[in-house]
Amino acid sequence: MGGSEREQQLSRAFVALADTLVADYDVIALLDQLVGHCATLLDADAAGLLLADSRRELRVVAATSEDAELMELLQLQADEGPCLECYRTAAPVSVADLADTPTRWPVFCAAVEDVGAFRSVHALPLRLRGEAIGALNLFRAAPGPLPGADLALGQALADVATIGILQERAIRRGEVLTEQLQVALNSRVAIEQAKGVLAQLLDMGMDEAFDVLRRYARQANLRLADVARAVVSREVDGDALLAARRGRGPQPSEHGRRGR
Amino acid sequence: MNELGPVTRELLGFVRDGADDKALAARICQACVTGLDVDGAALSLLTATDARQTLWATDPVAEVLEDLQFTLNEGVCMDAARTGIPVLVPDLRHHAETVRWPVFAVAVGERTAVAALFALPLQWGAVNLGVLDLYRFVPGGLSEAQYLDALAAADTAALMLLDHRTDPGNRFGGFIDHALGHRAEVHQATGMVLVQLAVSAEDALARMRAHAFVHRRLLVDVARDVVARRLVFTEDMS
């Protein structure tokens, strides 16, 4: 990507994020946008975001692909890996080539080799008052370091994510961080459940099902989590969602407008 | 990060000992009254639109609060169940709250001396299992540490109840299936199976767990097979 083209994309991304933050926004959609920006703007093939829940356990809240999500899950399962270390130390962790670090995270590295999708990982903390509340992770298929400028940008995007999570509801009511995280994580579960419903109903893969869900929410101006809940409780049928994907407008009136 | 609070630790310490839903709810409520600065607690199920049931109330006041909300169809726990977001009311007599729940706030004032109410939804993704309601006679919010503890406790309680209700025979071992809270495949498969069998998300999970048990497999492996379309649930399969 040419320098000026990337700069333009970058400014557009930050303007879009800033717009999102002043409106009544959907934190899951914001985090989803953020990992998307990371994969397009930075020298990364995929990105994922982990947040700590109320029991201090990390959970995946956004990922650009099922492969990226799998990478996060492998670390959670192995209870080791760059993203976990980044969260625990609240400092960035860069691994240019996972093949060089078999002893640092033996279980995780063995699992990654089996999957074979990614070779390098760069983990950036979501920091708040010196502590980490989660981690943003960039994955690349090819080994190698991430350029310094990309790391700085990635950290800026991670900071936007932190602000986004903190702001979402604090704007309206003075609530603590954990509640926001908990609600975001629960929304994530609802979205996974809804992806399953759509995958079965419309006979498609999970990535495609997520795409359908996202487009529908965007076109209907509904929160992703609200659409997910309506899908799981079967209040909205697959055809309406498919119509949204084909570009015809959905009929959002039954599901309540965004913002309560 | 902070340590886990006393209520959450107490809940996590419960041994799976065949307690039914009511007994479990009683222990959760009691742990809250002991560990948090509240006078009473109740746990109600508000599943499937109109089916409401108070599993446990620590005292008559807690019971009155639940009854009022169900009767009036208005109140903190109804809002928590609908939105999936905790509802905290440090002082129900405050003007902003009486405007928010005009009928409920007056009714509570007439029948009880309750000032503060905290309703914590027991949420599993898109599914609301019920609400944990806490009350106090003296106005005021929960401290941050108490609130964190209450949130984590509600989250734990949700998994425990879900575990109970998708495994009524206590056949599948370990009371909180850790995979449950974390694995995308389990949630995705739940969504697929609920369509395959035309049942609720809870029932779909119960069917997957039963299948895993019968075939001596892990739930997450069954879920993976469902997502990979190697396994399709039908009415008549075991």
Side-chain angles (χ1 to χ4, degrees):
Chain A
M1 186 185 302
S4 67
E5 188 195 337
R6 173 159 120 155
E7 265 169 40
Q8 280 178 8
Q9 281 202 15
L10 256 179
S11 357
R12 274 200 298 275
F14 274 99
V15 168
L17 290 170
D19 273 355
T20 314
L21 281 168
V22 286
D24 177 25
Y25 64 100
D26 178 344
V27 72
I28 293 286
L30 172 80
L31 299 178
D32 193 58
Q33 263 180 305
L34 266 168
V35 292
H37 286 314
C38 288
T40 31
L41 294 172
L42 308 178
D43 189 11
D45 297 308
L49 206 140
L50 294 170
L51 290 179
D53 71 10
S54 59
R55 287 191 300 270
R56 326 278 176 244
E57 287 169 18
L58 284 173
R59 288 164 62 179
V60 183
V61 75
T64 52
S65 65
E66 296 291 321
D67 272 348
E69 179 147 2
L70 181 61
M71 286 292 278
E72 307 285 23
L73 288 170
L74 288 176
Q75 299 182 63
L76 297 181
Q77 201 171 27
D79 198 28
E80 64 177 30
C83 312
L84 269 73
E85 195 170 307
C86 166
Y87 168 69
R88 285 169 188 159
T89 58
V93 175
S94 268
V95 185
D97 192 349
L98 284 167
D100 295 339
T101 58
T103 52
R104 193 164 168 196
W105 304 294
V107 182
F108 170 64
C109 288
V112 169
E113 214 176 302
D114 282 346
V115 175
F118 302 108
R119 282 285 292 278
S120 68
V121 183
H122 305 278
L124 302 160
L126 267 64
R127 277 183 297 222
L128 177 71
R129 296 190 285 267
E131 282 184 20
I133 61 166
L136 170 68
N137 308 296
L138 311 171
F139 302 107
R140 282 203 310 183
L146 199 66
D150 284 40
L151 275 179
L153 259 179
Q155 188 61 58
L157 288 164
D159 293 342
V160 172
T162 309
I163 295 166
I165 295 160
L166 289 175
Q167 288 244 117
E168 192 208 14
R169 297 181 48 257
I171 291 171
R172 276 178 283 177
R173 325 201 309 231
E175 279 145 1
V176 296
L177 170 71
T178 311
E179 181 186 324
Q180 269 119 298
L181 293 179
Q182 201 64 27
V183 170
L185 289 166
N186 232 322
S187 299
R188 187 72 240 175
V189 173
I191 288 163
E192 295 305 332
Q193 292 167 341
K195 277 161 68 176
V197 170
L198 293 179
Q200 181 66 35
L201 271 183
L202 305 175
D203 193 25
M204 53 178 58
M206 292 301 162
D207 283 340
E208 203 183 342
F210 189 38
D211 193 48
V212 167
L213 202 66
R214 214 165 20 193
R215 279 169 194 267
Y216 181 85
R218 201 177 300 145
Q219 290 184 20
N221 194 27
L222 291 165
R223 286 168 190 273
L224 210 43
D226 290 342
V227 174
R229 285 194 189 98
V231 168
V232 174
S233 59
R234 308 299 303 277
E235 287 159 36
V236 54
D237 62 38
D239 291 342
L241 288 138
L242 261 188
R245 188 172 62 150
R246 293 195 199 99
R248 277 185 275 134
Q251 308 294 318
S253 53
E254 307 136 57
H255 310 301
R257 279 277 161 187
R258 176 167 169 165
R260 280 174 283 270
Chain B
M1 290 293 245
N2 310 334
E3 289 297 300
L4 290 178
V7 181
T8 309
R9 267 185 280 126
E10 170 88 13
L11 259 55
L12 287 170
F14 288 172
V15 183
R16 187 187 174 93
D17 52 7
D20 62 8
D21 264 10
K22 266 194 164 45
L24 181 62
R27 294 168 80 171
I28 294 166
C29 289
Q30 195 50 53
C32 290
V33 175
T34 310
L36 302 170
D37 180 24
V38 295
D39 294 309
L43 200 159
S44 290
L45 304 179
L46 296 98
T47 49
T49 57
D50 291 328
R52 298 163 186 165
Q53 185 197 357
T54 300
L55 278 182
W56 192 259
T58 53
D59 60 281
V61 174
E63 212 169 320
V64 165
L65 290 172
E66 300 296 288
D67 284 349
L68 274 179
Q69 302 194 61
F70 292 167
T71 312
L72 302 173
N73 203 19
E74 175 186 298
V76 287
C77 92
M78 310 303 279
D79 280 16
R82 203 183 59 248
T83 61
I85 295 168
V87 178
L88 309 173
V89 181
D91 191 350
L92 192 62
R93 293 164 296 197
H94 194 275
H95 175 69
E97 315 297 0
T98 54
V99 171
R100 191 168 171 196
W101 298 290
V103 187
F104 173 67
V106 170
V108 170
E110 281 170 0
R111 297 191 199 188
T112 74
V114 169
L117 279 165
F118 312 106
L120 305 158
L122 307 177
Q123 202 74 21
W124 176 55
V127 182
N128 179 265
L129 299 163
V131 178
L132 178 60
D133 276 320
L134 312 172
Y135 79 84
R136 200 197 309 110
F137 293 117
V138 180
L142 294 170
S143 73
E144 176 150 341
Q146 286 171 342
Y147 184 42
L148 292 181
D149 192 16
L151 279 175
D155 193 38
T156 308
L159 284 182
M160 292 171 83
L161 272 179
L162 182 69
D163 193 50
H164 251 249
R165 295 165 73 192
T166 59
D167 177 15
N170 288 351
R171 290 174 300 170
F172 315 142
F175 95 86
I176 290 180
D177 187 341
H178 266 271
L180 214 58
H182 301 288
R183 305 307 294 269
E185 293 101 322
V186 173
H187 306 311
Q188 292 167 356
T190 302
M192 292 178 72
V193 171
L194 79 86
V195 176
Q196 289 167 5
L197 297 174
V199 295
S200 69
E202 273 176 82
D203 289 343
L205 179 67
R207 290 291 292 268
M208 289 199 298
R209 295 186 76 174
H211 183 89
F213 176 76
V214 169
H215 296 273
R216 294 165 185 269
R217 304 183 64 204
L218 293 174
L219 175 64
V220 68
D221 290 333
V222 171
R224 270 193 203 118
D225 281 357
V226 171
V227 171
R229 296 174 196 271
R230 289 187 292 262
L231 175 64
V232 178
F233 277 75
T234 55
E235 292 293 343
D236 48 358
M237 73 191 281
S238 63

